Amino acid sequence: GGGSVAAEILGLEDSEVPRPDFSTAPALFDALYQAIQAGYVASCHDLSEGGLAVGLAEMVFGSDFGCRVDLQRIPGADGMPTSATMFAETPTRFVLEDSLDHLDAVAELFRTLPWATFGEVLDNGGKMQLHSGDDLVHQYTATELLHANGASA
């Protein structure tokens, strides 16, 4: 639900953005704060404007690193169309980048919350690869992402 960036790109009416889940938000922000303070988080991006697709794109900008993401592993994506999984602006969602060395510690901090590992950072020249299981759904270069964001490469 809610996709103002998707609505703008596709020329659709914007849908109502869902309200935060106030029962889990405090625990989420506490776990996120602890993970950052412990040095487990290399980067973090909220998904409030543009959802997962825009958040990942903005994380790829300005580097030679890209990512490979499996959209089927996104919490709550079961039965959702790919476009909804990519652009949903559900509040209190974040993408975290951490190293495999910290994965168990991050898992412990987020153990009572909806979370999943769903991708990896790649040294691939800044390409964002979106998969559904083993199938490549979309692939974008950093230049294409910057152009779509209104910037020049």
Side-chain angles (χ1 to χ4, degrees):
S4 61
V5 172
E8 183 180 319
I9 291 170
L10 302 173
L12 305 172
E13 286 189 37
D14 194 12
S15 61
E16 185 176 324
V17 175
R19 298 182 55 79
D21 180 349
F22 292 110
S23 65
T24 60
L28 171 67
F29 285 110
D30 183 55
L32 181 59
Y33 175 79
Q34 288 183 51
I36 292 169
Q37 288 300 306
Y40 301 153
V41 178
S43 64
C44 176
H45 202 295
D46 73 294
L47 305 182
S48 63
E49 185 175 352
L52 180 66
V54 172
L56 289 171
E58 290 178 351
M59 291 175 84
V60 169
F61 292 162
S63 81
D64 287 329
F65 293 98
C67 61
R68 181 192 191 284
V69 171
D70 184 351
L71 298 172
Q72 290 181 353
R73 296 182 54 93
I74 306 299
D78 295 341
M80 288 178 66
T82 300
S83 59
T85 301
M86 290 172 49
F87 289 103
E89 296 176 337
T90 307
T92 58
R93 292 191 322 147
F94 298 88
V95 172
L96 302 182
E97 174 194 350
D98 67 26
S99 77
L100 291 175
D101 296 339
H102 301 294
L103 187 56
D104 289 339
V106 170
E108 178 62 24
L109 289 172
F110 287 86
R111 73 186 176 284
T112 63
L113 299 162
W115 77 278
T117 56
F118 57 83
E120 61 184 326
V121 175
L122 301 174
D123 187 1
N124 66 0
K127 292 184 182 92
M128 182 172 79
Q129 302 171 346
L130 303 175
H131 290 256
S132 181
D134 291 331
D135 298 327
L136 180 64
V137 177
H138 297 286
Q139 177 171 280
Y140 304 98
T141 66
T143 302
E144 291 169 327
L145 295 169
L146 282 167
H147 179 71
N149 196 45
S152 57

